[in-house]
Every structure is written in C-alpha cells, then in structure tokens.
Amino acid sequence: MIEYMKDDKSPWASLGLLLVLTVICSVAAQFVVILLGLLTSGSLHAAQQDGVAVAAFTEKPFFMYALLVASSFGTFLLPAIILQLREPFRSYFPTENKGNLGFYVLAVLLLVAFGPVMQWVGALNSEMSLPPGLAGIEAWMRAQEDKMAVLTEQIVMVDHVGLLLSNILVMAVVPAIAEEYYFRGSLMQIIQRLTHNHHITVWLTAVIFSAIHVQFFGFFPRLILGVFFGYMFVWSRNIWVPILGHFVNNATVTVIAFVYTKQGKTFDDLQHNETYSIFVYLGSLIITGALAFYFYKKSKQQQQIIHGERLD
C-alpha cells in the first residue's frame, strides 16, 4: 500500500530526477572510460600536462567504441533504468504486445515506405540557411556538423566484416536500446503525465530527441524518426517495437557505409540523397499513411481483445 501511494509522485519530480541522473551517469561513465584509457596507455602523466594524450588514445578504434558505448549507457540507459528502480510502481518499459509480430513488421515497413520522403526532407534540411543576421550562429552550427561528420566517417567507413559487426553493435544495437528506453520509455511517459495528450507528448519528445543530438542540419529527419518511434510505442504499447525501428534505421546506414567503402565510394557519396520523381514521393506518402492507419487500427483491435479478455 505504501509503494502504491507513491504513484501520486509529481511528474516534475520524476523529470528532475531523470535529468539529474542523466548528468551524473553521463559524466561518470565517460570519465571511467577515459581514465581507464589513460591508465592502460600509460598517458596519465601526460594528460595532467595537456589534453594531447586524451586526444591520442580516443582516436584509437577500441576507445572510440568504448566512449560511444559509455555515452549511450551513461547518458540514456542507466538513468532510465535507475528511474524505473526508484519508481517501481510505474511501468516505463511496457511489453504489452511483445508476442504480436505484426507490430514489428509494420514498424519496419513504415520506415522503408517513408524512405524516399525522408531523403527529400534530409536534403532540404542540409541546405537550410539562416537569415544574414544569424550568420555567426549558422557558422557555429556548420562547425558542429562538420565535427560530427568527421567522427561518423572515421567510424562507419570500414571495409572489414569484423568492424562492420562492431559498428552494428555500437551504432545500432546499443543506441537503439538505450535511447528508446530513455526517450520513449522514461521521458515520453513523464511528459504524458504532464500534458495528458499523446500527440503533444509524441511530438515534444521527438523534438527533444532530435535536438539532443546537436546535428542541426539533420534536425528534421531525426525529428520525423522520433515521431515514428513515438507512435510505434503508443500504438503497440511495447518498447521493443520502436527499439527495432531504431535499430533497423541505424543498422541500415552502417551496412550501406560498409558496402560503399568496399566499392571505393566516399563518405560524401554516402551523404548524397537520391532524387526521385514526384510520383515516387506521392506513393511513399500514400503507402506510409496506409500503413500508419493499419497500425493504428490493429492497435485498437488488440486493445479490445485484451480488455475483453480482462472483462471476461
């Protein structure tokens, strides 16, 4: 009864706890990796003099991977899990329809169907230009984008199967689980308690999801992905459905990068967006809309079955 009474805890308190955990766990996880890297590389003394030692070992593939995993684990997964442990009366990571394969298939089909439109949105976003009065801000945004592009190129443009598998693990499996636990699991449900509106919740969470990646010229494609993942979660009531969608999206990029590298293509080629006819874009929108509607109807039917069984 005491634990149940805690269910009245303010969503603001839950949000505050999540944010505090995010900062603490993120800093701690990455600090541990950097410290271990310095100790194992014998660069701890040099690091006390300047930052060259840190830069030197973080450029090594193993430690790059370790930092990426630590970032995902500390910033997203660990805070979400601790919040769930602190509030056991809530179900932040529901798996209500985990046995319904149809939801998983629909999640993947939605992403595939929307692919052409997503590329078009990405192309428009990459060419975005701010007013002349904000030239300084745009230059900073471009600089941040270029830094991220350099890091991404170093990681994904590989030609060995072993590195491809490592990339799938680090760039697809870990982020898909960690980020969906955090955004669709913890954050989205806290926001829902504040807004009491699923649509506002899905879109607001998607905005935060995109903004936190600090990639301004890819903001809108990532925003749309966040919206897709949000509705997948709302309709399926199963955290593993958006996790699968997130994994497929990220894994697709890593596999294409591997194929491009084997073919001698560059990272610029990878970022190039294909141009289609207007009929392809219209078809993409129509098929996506039809799949989304079917997903929604299937969700309603599933809920009727579940509630009917409970009533019986």
Side-chain angles (χ1 to χ4, degrees):
M1 178 63 71
I2 294 176
E3 288 297 319
Y4 178 78
M5 292 291 288
K6 290 181 181 178
D7 192 43
D8 294 330
K9 185 174 181 179
S10 164
W12 290 109
S14 298
L15 180 60
L17 176 58
L18 180 63
L19 294 179
V20 169
L21 288 171
T22 301
V23 174
I24 294 175
C25 295
S26 178
V27 172
Q30 294 179 72
F31 173 78
V32 169
V33 171
I34 292 174
L35 181 59
L36 289 175
L38 292 172
L39 288 172
T40 56
S41 63
S43 304
L44 185 58
H45 177 72
Q48 295 172 346
Q49 308 299 323
D50 53 49
V52 175
V54 176
F57 88 81
T58 53
E59 290 177 356
K60 298 178 181 178
F62 174 80
F63 288 108
M64 286 177 62
Y65 286 139
L67 280 172
L68 287 172
V69 171
S71 178
S72 292
F73 181 79
T75 306
F76 302 119
L77 186 58
L78 193 56
I81 291 175
I82 293 176
L83 179 66
Q84 178 67 89
L85 294 175
R86 293 280 296 177
E87 300 182 5
F89 40 84
R90 299 191 187 283
S91 178
Y92 281 110
F93 321 121
T95 56
E96 190 170 302
N97 297 301
K98 64 181 179 180
N100 193 322
L101 296 179
F103 286 134
Y104 300 103
V105 174
L106 283 170
V108 175
L109 290 178
L110 273 170
L111 295 176
V112 173
F114 197 70
V117 176
M118 184 71 81
Q119 287 193 25
W120 176 70
V121 173
L124 291 179
N125 196 169
S126 65
E127 297 171 1
M128 180 182 69
S129 180
L130 298 180
L134 300 176
I137 295 177
E138 181 175 346
W140 175 77
M141 291 166 59
R142 289 289 180 188
Q144 293 297 116
E145 198 80 10
D146 291 342
K147 287 181 182 178
M148 185 58 67
V150 171
L151 176 62
T152 304
E153 181 178 5
Q154 291 176 346
I155 296 172
V156 302
M157 302 303 289
V158 297
D159 59 0
H160 296 290
V161 174
L163 290 175
L164 169 63
L165 295 177
S166 298
N167 283 345
I168 291 176
L169 175 64
V170 173
M171 303 292 289
V173 176
V174 174
I177 297 173
E179 293 181 19
E180 291 310 305
Y181 261 52
Y182 188 93
F183 289 101
R184 257 55 65 177
S186 300
L187 184 60
M188 187 168 151
Q189 295 195 65
I190 292 173
I191 294 176
Q192 174 63 23
R193 286 157 57 197
L194 289 169
T195 65
H196 304 287
N197 184 300
H198 285 308
H199 302 295
I200 295 176
T201 297
V202 167
W203 281 89
L204 183 55
T205 305
V207 169
I208 298 171
F209 168 72
S210 185
I212 206 167
H213 285 81
V214 199
Q215 289 178 278
F216 308 99
F217 297 95
F219 178 85
F220 290 106
R222 191 172 288 105
L223 167 66
I224 295 172
L225 277 176
V227 170
F228 272 85
F229 298 153
Y231 281 113
M232 288 176 189
F233 182 58
V234 170
W235 292 338
S236 69
R237 290 175 171 81
N238 177 7
I239 190 66
W240 288 100
V241 173
I243 285 176
L244 174 64
H246 199 143
F247 166 77
V248 169
N249 179 77
N250 289 18
T252 299
V253 175
T254 60
V255 171
I256 293 175
F258 171 76
V259 173
Y260 273 34
T261 305
K262 295 285 284 185
Q263 294 176 347
K265 296 182 180 180
T266 66
F267 186 67
D268 289 334
D269 295 325
L270 179 67
Q271 292 183 301
H272 176 72
N273 293 301
E274 295 289 338
T275 302
Y276 302 98
S277 72
I278 185 66
F279 299 105
V280 173
Y281 295 121
L282 286 175
S284 174
L285 284 173
I286 292 171
I287 295 173
T288 301
L291 287 170
F293 181 72
Y294 181 68
F295 201 140
Y296 171 76
K297 294 294 290 183
K298 186 175 179 63
S299 170
K300 288 296 184 183
Q301 292 171 359
Q302 187 69 19
Q303 288 307 303
Q304 289 175 357
I305 293 173
I306 292 174
H307 291 313
E309 290 176 351
R310 287 175 180 171
L311 287 174
D312 291 340

